[in-house]
Amino acid sequence: MITNKDIKDYKRDGVICIRNAISDQLIEVSRRGIGQSIAKPGRFFRDYTATDSPARYIFEFWNWWNIRELEELAFDNSIASMVASIIEAEKVLLLMDQWFHREAGSTNAATWHHDEPYFDFFEGKKCVVWFPLEDTQILDGLTFIRGSHRWNKLFMAQNFATGKAFQGHTKNYSQMSNFSDLTKLKLSWDMKKGDCLIFDFRTIHRATLHTGPSSTAVSRISFRYGDKDVIFKPRGPWTAELSSFLIQAGQKVDSPLKCPYLPVIFDSRNH
């Protein structure tokens, strides 16, 4: 499924769209998993609905071990092997499972950001697989800044409910821009059910329709992956809850990933 051109494009742009990558069966599993998660939210359920929004913007992460359908999805070999090919890794670890649901009429969604500053994962190769559970026009998808993963620059993590940066960033983090001067570098796609995006942890992106009301309800699945060279290190006060969770589960600081919640899901020696 993954070609040399896909790998080249991913390295250059920091994002690619893979058509017909997610089976109908996995789409249905995803739908049931999100439904179960909404019905019985766990520790990492979040409601980031804006105070003036008539409809909800909600998501949850790190819940695959509580929801059978999400576990099935997380350990699916077709997705894991696709990731291994794209990032050219002998071993792939699952860093996080996450779903998003934006109700019809919701007026807020993700602003410009990249994933790296939100998590305690350093070094190595890290990527995100993102896919919608329905056909998605450009306005209801994501927009990326092509090549921004190669800027060697980190931007402050922001609270998606308020649009403001979390407190505690050091001078190593820059204020996020609106990138109005980079129109020619922006990438987005119309997507069919079954298509997916794969993008680097440092590729800057946002929900294309990030302020206006959504016309329909939309659901998304996102999985974050890393290779064997990723290191765990608490990043800052805004990741303290996630840091504590992994440390309590046995993950050692400044060390390679070794924790029940960060499992190896692909090993080339077994294929």
Side-chain angles (χ1 to χ4, degrees):
M1 179 185 295
I2 299 301
T3 67
N4 288 335
K5 182 180 184 302
D6 292 329
I7 297 171
K8 181 179 178 180
D9 290 349
Y10 175 80
K11 289 180 177 179
R12 181 192 65 221
D13 296 338
V15 57
I16 56 171
C17 180
I18 304 296
R19 304 294 185 182
N20 301 311
I22 310 298
S23 69
D24 289 343
Q25 176 191 355
L26 289 180
I27 293 292
E28 182 55 33
V29 169
S30 302
R31 205 181 306 280
R32 294 199 307 269
I34 291 176
Q36 292 279 353
S37 198
I38 291 175
K40 190 178 180 181
R43 172 177 177 175
F44 296 108
F45 176 87
R46 300 289 186 266
D47 187 335
Y48 271 20
T49 306
T51 54
D52 59 348
S53 177
R56 293 195 303 170
Y57 171 58
I58 57 177
F59 61 86
E60 187 166 38
F61 55 91
W62 273 344
N63 205 23
W64 62 262
W65 49 86
N66 293 321
I67 305 293
R68 181 179 57 81
E69 290 85 353
L70 296 180
E71 181 178 13
E72 179 181 343
L73 187 63
F75 284 83
D76 179 77
N77 184 67
S78 65
I79 299 177
S81 60
M82 181 172 60
V83 168
S85 296
I86 284 292
I87 67 174
E88 299 178 298
E90 295 180 355
K91 186 179 293 186
V92 174
L93 294 90
L94 177 64
L95 305 184
M96 180 177 285
D97 62 298
Q98 187 169 11
W99 59 260
F100 302 85
H101 182 71
R102 189 181 185 191
E103 295 177 350
S106 174
T107 58
N108 68 310
T111 58
W112 286 120
H113 70 287
H114 52 184
D115 282 37
E116 181 94 3
Y118 290 83
F119 304 104
D120 300 319
F121 306 123
F122 291 74
E123 303 181 24
K125 299 175 183 177
K126 302 178 291 291
C127 76
V128 182
V129 173
W130 180 99
F131 60 90
L133 304 192
E134 54 277 310
D135 292 352
T136 301
Q137 296 182 344
I138 283 180
L139 282 180
D140 291 321
L142 298 180
T143 295
F144 296 82
I145 305 295
R146 178 192 289 123
S148 53
H149 65 304
R150 294 184 281 106
W151 289 356
N152 195 29
K153 190 174 185 179
L154 280 177
F155 292 89
M156 295 180 181
Q158 301 177 73
N159 184 317
F160 293 155
T162 65
K164 297 180 180 179
F166 292 110
Q167 297 296 313
H169 289 86
T170 67
K171 62 182 180 180
N172 295 326
Y173 296 84
S174 300
Q175 288 279 356
M176 185 58 72
S177 167
N178 63 13
F179 304 110
S180 58
D181 57 334
L182 297 181
T183 302
K184 292 182 178 180
L185 293 182
K186 292 177 181 177
L187 279 176
S188 54
W189 292 266
D190 284 320
M191 297 178 68
K192 296 291 187 181
K193 183 176 66 173
D195 298 343
C196 77
L197 300 174
I198 306 178
F199 54 94
D200 189 275
F201 254 49
R202 292 202 176 199
T203 307
I204 295 169
H205 59 286
R206 74 174 185 194
T208 305
L209 183 65
H210 63 288
T211 54
S214 55
S215 58
T216 60
V218 293
S219 297
R220 314 287 187 243
I221 290 287
S222 177
F223 283 104
R224 296 176 177 89
Y225 302 96
D227 70 2
K228 63 182 178 60
D229 296 321
V230 175
I231 300 296
F232 170 79
K233 179 167 62 174
R235 190 176 292 273
W238 64 94
T239 65
E241 182 185 6
L242 280 65
S243 308
S244 176
F245 176 75
L246 291 179
I247 290 170
Q248 290 175 10
Q251 176 60 51
K252 297 188 181 302
V253 174
D254 295 323
S255 299
L257 305 183
K258 189 175 183 181
C259 169
Y261 300 127
L262 304 172
V264 174
I265 60 167
F266 178 88
D267 190 328
S268 61
R269 294 174 299 180
N270 300 327
H271 292 80

